[in-house]
Amino acid sequence: MAVREKAVREKAGREKAGHPKIMRMSVEQPLWRALAGYRVLTMLYAVGFFATAYDGFQRPWVAVAYYCVLFVWTLATLPWVANAASCTKRFLAADLTIALTGILLTPFADTHERVQSGGPTLPSIWTAGAVLAFAIKGGWRWAAFASTLVAVVNLVERGTPARDTVHNVILVWVASIAIGYVVEVARASERTLARALEIEAATRERERLARDIHDSVLQVLAMVQRRGAVLAAEAGELGRMAGEQEVALRALVSAGLVPEPGAPGTAVHAAGESGPDALDAPDPVDLRTLLVPYATSTITLSEPGAPVPLARAAAKELAAAVGAALDNVRKHAGEGARAWILVEDEPDSVVVTVRDDGPGIPEGRLAQAEGEGRLGVAQSIRGRLRDLGGDAELISVPGQGTEVELKVPKDTRAARGKAERR
């Protein structure tokens, strides 16, 4: 209970902080609204038709009493046909009973000649609304059950299976079953889409966590392993254990497992401005202020003379990708290698280039490293840029160093939307 209350508080905090709430659109909700309108219109049609033919009824008071009940019932039960949850089985049974009762009362209210000649029943086409409610609620099987009852009662009311009666019965039967089948297909499609969205969200969150782990935990473990290897006794044992944990953690990060939505421990949306919901924060920052700390005696930063505005979280992700590229320089080119950072402020995008004078990357080494679970380039650099709607291009010539070009659009929302449509 405490865990659930904490999750509710965290969710409320994210919504209050400006993180949008994920809304699921029901594909069947428009059908319920259409059904509510259909019931009202067909009720008014039945009453209006009776009013125009009042003098022709044998016992008009029977029809008047029925239409009073039909009028009150139709308006009073509008909330019950608002959605599938409120449309209960008890309501469906009562609704269909009123329709069937109206059909059976028709011979008592109207003349025998008009009944035999194919005149309309008291509920007229309102009856189809009761059958459609079964179709939308339970699918084609429920629709077949309700339309079959209507067919039987219509045949009882007429006494003989006349051509027009059979025609109307078959029309209602086929139409209701078809609508019920369409509703079932729509529900299945909605569940499939919801599952796909949950998997995509969980995958994006796993990739973001993998980048954070690579930039922090894995770097520390690798450093402990290297330092412990040159020491003896307990320090050496600590380095060995750190190396084992690094291998295990890399395997876990690169496994690509997507947890089941709703499972304990699953976090699809992370709080804090590093999550995907904060990429479009309205308050931009000057990217130069985030890159200045990287400048050292061996790293040269070249930047424009004017501020380079970028959305706060997008700027942080871009700066983190630059940091990951510099980590690769230190790791593979050595502590004494020189590197250059060039910032270019273009009209629609920001381009940051990181170049070093190291030995370069052998051909095929990146694919091999990714297969071994070393996701520095795949996640910490390219993954970050992909989430921002940008791209990262890596050019390396053995013996001539490596150049990483990071390009981020200034309108990250539009760029991510375009990338997703592809």
Side-chain angles (χ1 to χ4, degrees), residues 77-363:
T77 57
L78 285 179
W80 291 7
V81 291
N83 51 63
S86 58
C87 186
T88 62
K89 294 181 180 179
R90 183 176 299 180
F91 162 74
L92 291 174
D95 196 55
L96 187 60
T97 299
I98 289 180
L100 299 179
T101 301
I103 296 174
L104 295 176
L105 285 177
T106 302
F108 295 95
D110 209 347
T111 62
H112 179 73
E113 291 77 12
R114 186 150 55 182
V115 171
Q116 292 300 316
S117 64
T121 60
L122 291 182
S124 185
I125 57 177
W126 186 89
T127 304
V131 177
L132 291 177
F134 273 82
I136 300 175
K137 172 68 176 182
W140 70 269
R141 294 176 180 82
W142 288 31
F145 169 76
S147 57
T148 301
L149 287 181
V150 171
V152 171
V153 173
N154 269 285
L155 293 175
V156 171
E157 182 258 344
R158 289 293 299 274
T160 58
R163 176 180 298 180
D164 56 348
T165 302
V166 174
H167 174 77
N168 294 334
V169 165
I170 293 178
L171 182 62
V172 173
W173 196 73
V174 173
S176 60
I177 290 179
I179 293 177
Y181 177 75
V182 170
V183 169
E184 290 186 357
V185 172
R187 284 174 178 159
S189 301
E190 184 181 7
R191 289 192 296 268
T192 302
L193 176 61
R195 173 61 177 157
L197 292 176
E198 290 173 352
I199 291 176
E200 180 184 3
T203 302
R204 286 182 176 274
E205 180 63 14
R206 184 189 62 79
E207 291 179 352
R208 189 186 69 81
L209 293 175
R211 291 196 297 266
D212 292 341
I213 291 174
H214 176 272
D215 294 345
S216 57
V217 181
L218 291 178
Q219 299 286 358
V220 173
L221 290 176
M223 183 189 68
V224 172
Q225 181 187 19
R226 291 194 301 268
R227 296 296 299 274
V230 299
L231 299 176
E234 296 181 359
E237 178 66 15
L238 180 62
R240 184 189 65 80
M241 295 174 61
E244 293 176 355
Q245 294 301 313
E246 181 192 7
V247 173
L249 189 54
R250 285 189 187 277
L252 179 62
V253 169
S254 60
L257 298 177
V258 178
E260 289 292 331
T266 300
V268 176
H269 297 282
E273 62 179 3
S274 62
D277 294 336
L279 293 178
D280 301 311
D283 49 339
V285 298
D286 186 358
L287 177 64
R288 301 178 305 171
T289 62
L290 300 180
L291 298 181
V292 165
Y294 292 127
T296 64
S297 58
T298 58
I299 300 176
T300 303
L301 174 62
S302 301
E303 56 189 15
V308 183
L310 197 62
R312 179 180 299 275
K316 290 179 62 178
E317 289 288 277
L318 179 56
V322 172
L326 294 175
D327 287 338
N328 287 335
V329 172
R330 285 189 290 268
K331 183 177 180 181
H332 300 290
E335 295 291 340
R338 293 192 58 82
W340 294 266
I341 304 174
L342 174 62
V343 182
E344 300 174 87
D345 188 7
E346 298 182 351
D348 299 325
S349 61
V350 175
V351 180
V352 179
T353 304
V354 179
R355 183 171 59 87
D356 65 69
D357 61 354
I361 302 175
E363 184 177 356

